[in-house]
Amino acid sequence: MGITVRWGGIEDLDAHTYAAWSELGERAREATPFLMPQFIVPAARWLSPRPLRVALFQRGRELVGVGCFSAERPNPFAPVPHLLAYCTLHSFRTGLLVAPDEADGVAHALLAATRYGPLRGHAIALRAVPEDDDGFAALRRAACDAGGAWRELSRFARPILHLAPDTTAVDGISHKLLKSLRRHRRRLAEQAPYSSRLVRAGPELRAATERHLSLEHHGWKGERGSSMLSCPASTAFFRELVERFDAIGAVVFSEVLAGDEVVGSSSNLLVGRTLSAFKIGWHPARARYSPGLLTELALLESIETTWPHVEKFDSNAAQDSYLSQMLPHSEAIVSGFVATGRTGRLALGAGRVAHPFARALGLQPWHVPRPGRLTLPQA
């Protein structure tokens, strides 16, 4: 039985489809919150004014793949009509969500849909996708078979942690850094009793959400207007995201306290066997004690007993971020265009000469909506 593709808007999702999509995300080999409906639905509501189309890939009645795209006009990086895999200001990954062993079928169905479906294009733009992702690898193979190609624009190494049997999450932290963090923890405890906790559900979750927003707004993020609390749309998005992931028991805040004061907070999302970091905030007055790193250390120390099934911690951080000091592993994250056939391959190849000029003019390969900002006081 072949795979069929059903297109629709995010507003067309019914409860059955939403539940099937969520279940697919939990069992996908490449589990990630950024391709789940719990992320996409609030993001589409609050962060993306442009139309979003959802491709539902079905084998019979079973949902085996989901992709979210927008139709894009030619630009200097892709001088042909193309599709853009959905991304937002708060997306750390894009791509296809596929069921185990269905990647090749979904990839070929998507390429056919770009030729004959309601959303057509000669290329597919992918921003921040793991190089070894099953769906991405299958899409590259299918495109090459159709005369297309993969045109990479950038890559970096994202810090992650693979949890092997008989190891703990802190085993990979260097002895020097671990010693330093424990010293910071002792010195913080000298100021006020130190403690840490996980907030996962219940009445405390809403308070933890607001504490997290406040701490993330402190310091340089608030000063630059890049915190979620600086933007009403981002604030509303995050509150809805927490509610939706809480409904499937998949959201957790890690908090570090000095006495009764929460001085560090990280938000994290648990999907399948992967625990993914999302945002972090800490009180700048406690910066000398590295509260951000202490918050992450507390989370890592909790994994073994709280989530013994977890196999991967994904930092969703930049290559040179503070988490690269803690996490011993990395995965290649790439961005670029998949030419879906010969026309797209030739156009992307010819367009490469314009890339330096486009970058010099401040142009980007893809459009990432930036909601309006609101400056709020730091206090």
Side-chain angles (χ1 to χ4, degrees):
M1 183 180 296
I3 292 179
T4 58
V5 187
R6 178 163 58 95
W7 291 88
I10 199 73
E11 67 281 358
D12 300 326
L13 285 181
D14 56 28
H16 173 77
T17 303
Y18 184 95
W21 182 356
S22 181
E23 189 273 335
L24 172 63
E26 291 280 2
R27 64 186 175 93
R29 186 174 290 119
E30 300 292 336
T32 175
F34 304 104
L35 302 179
M36 296 278 285
Q38 288 81 3
F39 181 91
I40 300 291
V41 171
R45 185 193 321 280
W46 297 106
L47 306 178
S48 306
R50 305 175 74 184
L52 172 66
R53 302 288 287 175
V54 180
L56 302 170
F57 300 87
Q58 294 180 277
R59 190 179 294 279
R61 294 184 177 181
E62 182 185 5
L63 185 68
V64 297
V66 178
C68 298
F69 305 94
S70 59
E72 302 294 318
R73 297 176 179 177
N75 65 43
F77 297 91
V80 287
H82 59 279
L83 278 58
L84 171 64
Y86 183 63
C87 61
T88 74
L89 195 62
H90 301 299
S91 300
F92 297 109
R93 173 178 172 167
T94 69
L96 289 170
L97 186 64
V98 297
D101 303 319
E102 293 285 4
D104 287 313
V106 169
H108 281 92
L110 175 58
L111 289 189
T114 63
R115 291 190 290 270
Y116 309 113
L119 209 64
R120 302 183 186 185
H122 295 288
I124 301 172
L126 295 166
R127 176 177 173 265
V129 59
E131 186 175 35
D132 61 356
D133 175 81
D134 284 353
F136 175 51
L139 189 58
R140 294 199 314 265
R141 290 193 299 269
C144 288
D145 291 343
W150 163 247
R151 300 297 189 192
E152 185 175 304
L153 291 184
S154 64
R155 69 166 51 219
F156 71 96
R158 172 171 288 162
I160 63 168
L161 171 67
H162 287 299
L163 290 160
D166 302 320
T167 63
T168 68
V170 299
D171 287 344
I173 303 176
S174 72
H175 177 73
K176 181 179 179 181
L177 177 59
L178 194 57
K179 183 179 179 180
S180 174
L181 289 176
R182 286 171 175 166
R183 183 173 63 252
H184 284 312
R185 191 155 60 186
R186 288 193 304 270
R187 290 180 176 173
L188 179 59
E190 293 171 359
Q191 305 300 312
Y194 168 89
S195 63
S196 64
R197 65 189 178 196
L198 300 179
V199 182
R200 303 173 60 187
E204 185 65 16
L205 190 64
R206 179 169 295 181
T209 300
E210 299 308 312
R211 287 194 297 268
H212 183 69
L213 285 167
S214 177
L215 284 170
E216 200 247 354
H217 182 64
H218 277 79
W220 65 268
K221 285 189 176 181
E223 293 170 358
R224 296 183 183 179
S226 62
S227 69
M228 292 186 291
L229 206 56
S230 299
C231 169
S234 290
T235 304
F237 155 74
F238 182 70
R239 287 171 177 153
E240 183 177 340
L241 175 146
V242 170
E243 290 180 4
R244 289 181 178 273
F245 276 104
D246 177 45
I248 59 171
V251 62
V252 57
F253 291 95
S254 174
E255 295 184 334
V256 162
L257 297 87
D260 295 330
E261 180 188 17
V262 177
V263 298
S265 171
S266 72
S267 53
N268 307 269
L269 303 168
L270 178 64
V271 178
R273 296 180 180 273
T274 299
L275 180 64
S276 296
F278 187 53
K279 301 287 184 176
I280 190 167
W282 61 85
H283 202 295
R286 306 284 187 171
R288 66 171 67 92
Y289 306 111
S290 301
L293 287 172
L294 290 182
T295 302
E296 298 295 1
L297 177 62
L299 178 68
L300 295 178
E301 289 174 334
S302 303
I303 290 179
E304 185 179 17
T305 54
T306 309
W307 305 287
H309 70 288
V310 166
E311 297 177 349
K312 175 183 176 182
F313 174 68
D314 190 341
S315 72
N316 291 306
Q319 181 170 319
D320 57 352
S321 72
Y322 70 95
L323 277 175
S324 65
Q325 306 172 48
M326 297 186 70
L327 305 181
H329 309 130
S330 65
E331 67 178 352
I333 304 295
V334 298
S335 299
F337 294 90
V338 174
T340 58
R342 183 172 180 272
T343 299
R345 175 172 58 83
L346 294 176
L348 290 177
R352 294 177 70 178
V353 298
H355 291 187
F357 303 100
R359 294 189 187 279
L361 292 172
L363 302 178
Q364 299 296 324
W366 28 70
H367 174 75
V368 179
R370 301 186 67 88
R373 294 175 178 176
L374 174 66
T375 302
L376 299 179
Q378 289 290 311

